Amino acid sequence: MSTLAVVSAGLRDPSSTRLLADRLAAATVRSLGEDTEVVHVALRDHAHDLTNNLLTGFPAGELRGAVERVAGADGLIAVTPVFNASYSGLFKTFFDVLEPGTLEGKPVLIGATGGTARHSLALEFAVRPMFAYLRSLVVPTAVFAATADWGAAGEAAGGLVERVDRAGAELAGLIAGRAPAVESDPYDDPIPFERLLAGQ
């Protein structure tokens, strides 16, 4: 059984960002199989803990569980609203607090929402480069949903539904061709006490 983590950074409840994330998850599950476990991480629920994590260096409370679910998943869907031509600060903060290497080699599907299609390039010049830096395997199709995409005209042939289905199939293909994720245990390879004392 595969595990799919779905991270959405919408600020409202409900939000179009969460709606897009849910549609991408459903499309991926259709291709992977109904036995796929889907875990949702709504970042608005962890905003305060994320700030504390930046200050202390440690995830506390429910944020710790969210980080562990993302780290242990076989694939990731990450969706952000676009603010000022880029991803939201909440979205970036979550990926800033992950331990180095957490997303290395992990299949990732990226998506974003915004008022107009003019913001769609944020996926290519902001979101995709971030995951490339994190050494993730980002699927070719990124999905942007503008306000107009949610109407009947936007969901016609070549519209949002088709893009969602294509992206979900691409993510499922990467997950199916990858060995299951194994969560690393820091106690398997402990840092020698002498190095801890030396601050290395």
Side-chain angles (χ1 to χ4, degrees), residues 2 31-32 107 170-179:
S2 299
S31 292
L32 266 179
E170 290 171 357
L171 179 61
L174 283 180
I175 294 172
R178 181 176 183 262

Side-chain angles (χ1 to χ4, degrees), residues 9 43 54 80 87-97 130:
L43 296 184
L54 288 176
T80 179
Y87 39 62
S88 74
L90 187 62
F91 183 82
K92 181 65 162 59
T93 301
F94 179 76
F95 294 103
D96 282 347
V97 304
M130 182 185 77

Side-chain angles (χ1 to χ4, degrees), residues 67-155:
V67 166
E68 290 172 351
R69 289 193 296 275
V70 169
D74 297 300
L76 171 66
I77 293 172
V79 186
T80 179
V82 174
F83 298 134
N84 297 322
S86 189
Y87 39 62
S88 74
L90 187 62
F91 183 82
K92 181 65 162 59
T93 301
F94 179 76
F95 294 103
D96 282 347
V97 304
L98 297 182
E99 290 293 325
T102 297
L103 299 182
E104 185 172 340
K106 192 182 297 294
V108 176
L109 191 170
I110 57 175
T113 57
T116 70
R118 291 195 305 264
H119 300 297
S120 61
L121 285 178
L123 281 166
E124 300 304 330
F125 68 69
V127 183
R128 189 181 297 274
M130 182 185 77
F131 284 104
Y133 176 81
L134 297 173
R135 303 186 64 169
S136 304
L137 300 176
V138 185
V139 303
T141 302
V143 180
F144 182 86
T147 301
D149 286 318
W150 298 110
E155 301 200 26

